[in-house]
Amino acid sequence: MNDLRNNRDESQEIITLEGSNIKKVKENAKNNPDEFWTACAKNLIWFKEWDQVLDWNYPFAKWFPGGRINASYNCLDKHLTTEIKNKAAFIWEGEDGKTITVTYYQLFTKVNQLANALKKLGIKKGDRVTIYLPMIPELPISMLACARIGAIHSVIFSGFSSQSIIDRVNDAGSKIIITADGGYRRGKTIPLKSIVDEAIKDTPTIEKVIIVKRTFDDVHIGGKDIWYEDIVTEESSYCLSEWNDSNDPLFILYTSGTTGKPKGVVHGSGGYLTHLFNSAKWVFDFTSTDVFFCTADIGWITGHSYVVYAPLMHGVTQILYEGAPDYPNPDRYWKIVEKHGVTILYTTPTALRSYMRYGDKIPNSYDLSSLRLLGTVGEPINPEVWKWYFNVIGKKSCPIVDTWWQTETGGIMIGMCTGIENISMKPGSGTFSLPGIELEIVDEEGLKVENGKKGYLIIKKPWPGMLLSLWNNEERYKKTYWEKVSGSFFAGDFAYLDKDNYTWILGRADDILKVAGHRLGTIELESAFVSHPSIAEAAITSKNDDLKGEAIVAFLVLRKGIESSPHLDAEVNEHIRNTIGPIASTEKIYFVNKLPKTRSGKIMRRLLKSIVNKEAIGDISTLEDEASIEEINYEFNEINKQL
Ligand code: WT7
């Protein structure tokens, strides 16, 4: 398989969709944004209408200020007077194949009971609740219960370690953690409760730990622990929805940035939900018979936006799958599509690449004819994988939406609007930005580059789903997103527009890696490496990987007197898995005498990247700030001598 970045096929036109005139919609959004976003916001239920569409106090946007709204009400109560009430909200499938259907009404009841229980535990509007759960119904239930009472949820992906929990809980100042005794992953159990036990030794703000029974393994019960089922069973099944302000935080979601500390991305309700409701309508064009399978874990933004909030607002039926795509066999998604009649599959290039390796025979042995639309997200998709998805999974009759967006953008920003659009697809391109989203590709100086030229992707105008800020860190918010190109949002990705103005995303332009679609900061990884007692210095880069897109490569300098050995290699890898989590598994470790650095002490990560990918070092001088060509050449030779 070729490098994702160099193998673009711009010419292929595969399918044309019928639809209404998107041009008009986009023009209206551009010329009359207030009118346009007002119409979009009116698709939601508001307790009180807003005073203003947008209060833009650069770089802080308040969408629909003065408006009062509740996310849980828009996902649940709204459906109780319609035929959706008794429809499946979630069809949950455990790794062991067990299936549980939760109707909208049942979901409503469970959310209300937990909301009442949280209130009894003293949780009030604005309090933070950390949720560390596997993919079980209690995860969306917990989020919606927080939303109902105006508490701010902070979900931590259940693959993260104790240290990651400590950092995130302390930054958010959470009062409660909702977790489970354990979770299943590839037939093994992950001892979630003991990971939490380890973490709460260092999280002074935590008052209670609520435990859901999932694996029924024995767990240690300490003074702060309470069982989920004990607190909900006696509770009433109605809890009044809090009239949250449109810009009260709905949740914090931590994501990796370019410094050692993860960023707490904060989203509100009014703007965020408006963006989600409408983007989902345009891109997925939900209908009442859809069965939507978004394979993302709810611990990531895709799960927040397109497993929990957007589909529930639309009243669609969703698959909530607990386990891994290849467990017990590399056919699990196809099996689920056939078993539950999935109509829309929204997944990642990494999952598709791993299925593709096993050949066509496996998917061909399942009835996938219920599918009508396919989606991809999280990383660039190679054209050959795109074509496999189109031909083998979609049988040439399902459009593919390649959706670009980020934790920060809240919802989809670039993607074909199958609900309203009539265009040709190009494998590997996300096509165009959604109505109301004004993007541009610019150079170092912030000037627009011509079509065909690579540059930085920026967003020129505020949009409803944009983050409110970073939790407790307005300075970092301004610096990271709004100061690189003055007046615009800096997305951190390289991209270009082709001659037809189609957008092509070329990957991250900063010190962030995308490993199997998961976002990891190089500096965050480096600090995890140097927290190992044998390691003095670390430089992290990535290697192109046929399966994961990118794989982690570490250059490590050992402390004086420590010898490298395969044993140490394994020990260090284990240390990283324990410090960050299994998603940070390292592909290759090089022990070196010294790291390549500029005179001012900056690690030349781009040089290391070129070395591990066997690229020419020709043009990296422009990418390696502050370094001269002589320095780069010198360091290149020095490193190569040691490998
Ligand atoms: C980064 C954001 C979007 C939700 C899941 C990831 C990369 C995302 C695409 C795509 C190429 C993509 C970008 C972006 N990315 N979607 N369709 N094609 N790259 O959210 O963890 O915040 O990561 O994912 O590099 O900046 P995230």
Side-chain angles (χ1 to χ4, degrees):
M1 217 172 280
N2 293 317
D3 178 359
L4 308 182
R5 279 158 287 269
N6 298 327
N7 183 29
R8 293 296 178 185
D9 174 0
E10 290 174 3
S11 57
Q12 190 149 359
E13 298 192 350
I14 291 197
I15 200 170
T16 301
L17 298 166
E18 298 302 323
S20 71
N21 191 350
I22 182 103
K23 246 190 163 163
K24 262 199 208 141
V25 179
K26 287 191 176 169
E27 259 160 35
N28 182 36
K30 191 169 182 174
N31 301 331
N32 310 303
D34 278 13
E35 186 189 301
F36 177 76
W37 291 123
T38 297
C40 289
K42 287 200 164 155
N43 287 325
L44 311 182
I45 295 178
W46 296 77
F47 301 132
K48 174 184 168 290
E49 208 166 288
W50 49 95
D51 305 325
Q52 199 184 339
V53 176
L54 170 65
D55 170 7
W56 181 219
N57 178 15
Y58 174 80
F60 297 94
K62 286 201 172 99
W63 283 91
F64 313 109
R68 297 296 180 124
I69 188 164
N70 187 291
S72 137
Y73 191 94
N74 272 277
C75 291
L76 303 169
D77 306 47
K78 172 180 131 176
H79 303 306
L80 299 186
T81 50
T82 74
E83 67 284 359
I84 294 169
K85 179 180 174 185
N86 298 317
K87 175 180 172 178
F90 288 114
I91 298 173
W92 174 80
E93 182 161 320
E95 229 192 33
D96 58 3
K98 186 175 166 192
T99 300
I100 294 175
T101 299
V102 185
T103 67
Y104 273 88
Y105 185 66
Q106 288 166 336
L107 187 64
F108 166 83
T109 312
K110 287 172 193 291
V111 167
N112 279 271
Q113 286 181 307
L114 180 61
N116 282 326
L118 289 174
K119 271 185 159 175
K120 269 206 190 128
L121 292 170
I123 296 298
K124 293 184 297 295
K125 185 174 168 153
D127 285 344
R128 277 79 62 207
V129 173
T130 291
I131 303 173
Y132 182 66
L133 283 172
M135 286 285 278
I136 53 177
E138 286 80 0
L139 174 47
I141 291 168
S142 300
M143 293 162 74
L144 293 164
C146 289
R148 194 154 190 100
I149 61 173
I152 304 169
H153 60 71
S154 166
V155 178
I156 302 178
F157 171 58
S158 62
F160 276 127
S161 66
S162 305
Q163 188 55 49
S164 305
I165 300 175
I166 294 172
D167 296 341
R168 288 159 173 77
V169 167
N170 288 342
D171 188 71
S174 301
K175 284 191 175 171
I176 282 189
I177 300 185
I178 306 178
T179 188
D181 45 6
Y184 289 108
R185 193 74 185 170
R186 294 201 170 84
K188 288 201 198 108
T189 57
I190 303 170
L192 299 176
K193 174 62 169 57
S194 28
I195 297 172
V196 169
D197 287 343
E198 198 49 43
I200 63 162
K201 291 177 189 158
D202 295 309
T203 56
T205 56
I206 292 295
E207 294 167 7
K208 290 274 178 255
V209 176
I210 301 174
I211 320 150
V212 178
K213 282 190 179 136
R214 170 66 192 118
T215 57
F216 293 87
D217 287 335
D218 278 342
V219 293
H220 165 79
I221 295 295
K224 294 180 177 175
D225 297 334
I226 36 180
W227 292 102
Y228 183 99
E229 59 179 37
D230 289 348
I231 60 168
V232 293
T233 29
E234 298 295 312
E235 284 302 334
S236 124
S237 54
Y238 186 69
C239 169
L240 202 67
S241 291
E242 192 69 40
W243 285 33
N244 297 319
D245 186 273
S246 173
N247 292 287
D248 284 341
L250 171 64
F251 64 83
I252 308 171
L253 181 58
Y254 287 87
T255 187
S256 294
T258 52
T259 71
K261 264 183 69 180
K263 307 180 276 198
V265 169
V266 184
H267 282 288
S269 296
Y272 172 74
L273 298 175
T274 297
H275 189 135
L276 292 189
F277 186 93
N278 293 283
S279 61
K281 188 168 84 172
W282 298 327
V283 175
F284 301 119
D285 192 21
F286 288 138
T287 64
S288 60
T289 52
D290 271 325
V291 177
F292 184 54
F293 182 18
C294 168
T295 66
D297 192 289
I298 293 176
W300 310 103
I301 191 69
T302 311
H304 279 58
S305 298
Y306 297 100
V307 176
V308 183
Y309 292 112
L312 294 180
M313 279 193 288
H314 280 277
V316 303
T317 294
Q318 289 200 78
I319 305 298
L320 192 65
Y321 170 53
E322 180 183 40
D326 56 354
Y327 188 83
N329 298 305
D331 62 353
R332 198 63 196 264
Y333 288 177
W334 321 132
K335 215 174 179 155
I336 290 175
V337 168
E338 179 182 276
K339 181 168 163 195
H340 302 294
V342 171
T343 58
I344 309 174
L345 176 66
Y346 190 31
T347 191
T348 62
T350 292
L352 295 171
R353 285 191 292 259
S354 73
Y355 279 130
M356 196 176 151
R357 282 191 167 182
Y358 290 98
D360 303 357
K361 221 173 131 195
I362 299 176
N364 284 344
S365 67
Y366 288 95
D367 178 2
L368 305 179
S369 62
S370 57
L371 288 169
R372 69 164 182 86
L373 180 64
L374 304 172
T376 159
V377 64
E379 33 168 346
I381 184 164
N382 338 33
E384 54 276 52
V385 178
W386 192 103
K387 287 173 198 161
W388 183 80
Y389 199 20
F390 186 78
N391 293 326
V392 179
I393 305 307
K395 315 284 182 225
K396 296 189 168 68
S397 61
C398 302
I400 296 182
V401 288
D402 177 355
T403 61
W404 177 90
W405 56 293
Q406 308 178 302
T407 307
E408 291 85 346
T409 70
I412 298 172
M413 302 290 275
I414 301 174
M416 187 169 62
C417 295
T418 63
I420 48 175
E421 200 154 39
N422 186 359
I423 55 165
S424 303
M425 298 186 288
K426 299 187 185 191
S429 165
T431 72
F432 306 105
S433 60
L434 264 51
I437 308 298
E438 306 278 326
L439 64 79
E440 203 165 274
I441 315 292
V442 299
D443 62 15
E444 287 291 335
E445 270 74 57
L447 300 172
K448 189 173 173 178
V449 300
E450 49 189 277
N451 285 25
K453 285 246 160 70
K454 170 178 172 178
Y456 301 104
L457 175 63
I458 61 164
I459 314 292
K460 304 226 11 134
K461 274 199 203 161
W463 67 98
M466 68 186 268
L467 70 168
L468 299 179
S469 185
L470 293 176
W471 184 256
N472 272 338
N473 210 338
E474 293 195 343
E475 273 316 301
R476 190 171 175 194
Y477 167 75
K478 286 190 209 161
K479 235 177 115 186
T480 312
Y481 306 112
W482 300 95
E483 284 177 4
K484 301 235 163 67
V485 177
S486 174
S488 293
F489 175 84
F490 186 82
D493 277 332
F494 282 126
Y496 74 93
L497 300 181
D498 71 15
K499 59 179 187 343
D500 304 319
N501 279 326
Y502 277 61
T503 323
W504 299 80
I505 304 291
L506 302 169
R508 298 290 311 190
D510 54 11
D511 288 331
I512 290 176
L513 308 182
K514 272 280 172 168
V515 179
H518 300 317
R519 188 162 151 175
L520 291 165
T522 45
I523 301 180
E524 198 181 332
L525 287 164
E526 285 163 9
S527 29
F529 275 98
V530 295
S531 70
H532 186 280
S534 302
I535 295 167
E537 280 188 282
I540 303 304
T541 189
S542 70
K543 197 168 178 256
N544 298 331
D545 186 271
D546 281 356
L547 192 62
K548 296 192 270 188
E550 288 183 72
I552 301 171
V553 179
F555 288 81
L556 306 177
V557 179
L558 292 173
R559 284 187 190 280
K560 279 219 164 62
I562 310 268
E563 292 290 319
S564 65
S565 70
H567 167 73
L568 184 61
D569 197 310
E571 187 187 305
V572 168
N573 207 352
E574 195 51 33
H575 172 76
I576 296 302
R577 290 171 63 93
N578 291 334
T579 319
I580 295 184
I583 54 167
S585 282
T586 311
E587 178 77 18
K588 176 86 190 144
I589 292 177
Y590 292 108
F591 293 109
V592 293
N593 301 329
K594 80 186 235 317
L595 299 176
K597 287 187 191 161
T598 62
R599 260 163 298 179
S600 58
K602 209 174 149 269
I603 298 172
M604 296 182 184
R605 294 196 189 80
R606 192 65 190 81
L607 169 70
L608 294 174
K609 191 169 180 153
S610 302
I611 291 174
V612 299
N613 289 307
K614 302 195 168 52
E615 291 165 357
I617 55 162
D619 66 356
I620 57 173
S621 54
T622 52
L623 292 165
E624 208 70 88
D625 323 335
E626 303 168 33
S628 70
I629 298 191
E630 292 74 45
E631 277 179 290
I632 291 173
N633 279 330
Y634 173 78
E635 295 293 353
F636 177 81
N637 293 330
E638 285 294 298
I639 280 286
N640 271 318
K641 269 190 240 161
Q642 298 177 46
L643 301 186

